[in-house]
Amino acid sequence: MDESFLLMLSNLIHLQNSMDPATSLISSSSTSAASPSLSSQSPASLLSATSSAAPLLFFTLASLLSFLASSKLHSKQRAAADGGGNSTNNANRVPPEKTSETSAYSVAAFRALSTEHIWSLEAPLRDAQWRSLYGLSYPVFTTVVDKLKPHIAASNLSLPSDYAVAMVLSRLAHGYSAKTMSAKYALEPYLISKITNMVTRLLATKLYSEFIKIPVSRRRLIEATQAFEELTSLPNMCGAIDGSAVKLHSVRSDHGGGNLHRCRYGYDSILLQVVADHKKVFWDVCVKAPGSSDDATHLRDSLLYHRLISGDVVWDKVINVRGHHVRPFIVGDWCYPLLSFLMTPFSPNGTGTPAQNLFDGMLMKGRSVVVEAIGLLKARWKILQDLNVGLNHSPQTIVACCVLHNLCQIAREPEPDIWKEPDESGAPTRVLENEKALHFFGDSLRQALADDLHQRLSSR
């Protein structure tokens, strides 16, 4: 029984006793013991047995007041759960018993944080708080929302666009499952998944071409090649390529079964291939191969490979090194084929000549930028450490995180501690028949670059 009702009833009864002691509703302990027949009577019979109507009147008034107080309390709980009564937030209604658990994640709480509280904070504190919640600073967050808002509005989603984006970013940044998000946001898991799929698809399609671009302009090429040359002393390097196995939380048997997604590290995964520049910004992303594939096969299936091998991408910056015309090139480890546009080490274990070993050391120094970029990607967007979305939506989720990574790098967001990838392993890849001409040309370029590097550094 409600505590306030008991207190009210007690006060009214004591008041009635003082007015008419002869009709007391509560007998003394001695009377109750001496008259068991009286104590066994029902409250209704006790009330009817009294000679005065006052007890009934007071009891009725107490019940009415308790009912009104209880109704008022419940109406306040429902108003809080409805996010202020906004009819557009029907999908975010919270049961009264869950209000205390989910109020911090309601539309009303988010709106208060993003419109009032956020501007009362100093910028560093504001952005640090926003990063802890959504993985990026408030200005970068608003950039994402502004670019996605028209597309989200067209979907007739019953949630505000900024709230939907914030919810998905929270999931990507912390690696929450749909079930965990459901408990926090008081939405059904299927709706969490639906919103996640929509926002990641928009990031991967609508924003990809704006934030992930091959450096074909001369300005970008000069900036990239000069930065890599300062780092490695190798001229005309414009990027570094690497692959990463993105662990899948679960793979249903109806998606291929067997060991199709089992990578060399022993877990189910899907492969990510990226090319990064000196700022650790991705300028190409490919997610096409299951975990059982290898880096060379994934490269050969990518659009970038076919564009480079066909001459569709022309890098208009040529230098002369020992009589060889050297166009901009990317670098990778020994798991990739040596081609005219892709330089790889001479030896994975340092058994080459002094010039070749020096070249390998500098090449791997340049390659370190893409390793760090992947480490930052998985550190910022922890969902990539154990991807808990459906397999069909895994590629777009990975690409969406790459777009967000570039946004963070371009905005010079603070870099978190790098996620450590497993040690690289694998044998040098075999050159295919249609690659032999490019391989031969690449081999002569690599030797010329190595001899030139050794001569320049030895003469200092």
Side-chain angles (χ1 to χ4, degrees), residues 308-345:
L308 289 173
I309 206 168
S310 66
D312 180 49
V313 175
V314 178
W315 282 318
D316 187 22
K317 183 177 180 293
V318 184
I319 61 173
N320 187 288
V321 178
R322 294 179 172 250
H324 293 78
H325 294 291
V326 181
R327 291 187 178 273
F329 59 88
I330 59 178
V331 299
D333 61 19
W334 48 87
C335 296
Y336 291 98
L338 170 65
L339 303 168
S340 59
F341 53 82
L342 173 53
M343 295 289 106
T344 61

Side-chain angles (χ1 to χ4, degrees), residues 434-445:
N434 67 318
E435 296 173 337
K436 285 189 175 180
L438 292 172
H439 173 75
F440 177 79
F441 189 47
D443 189 44
S444 62
L445 286 179

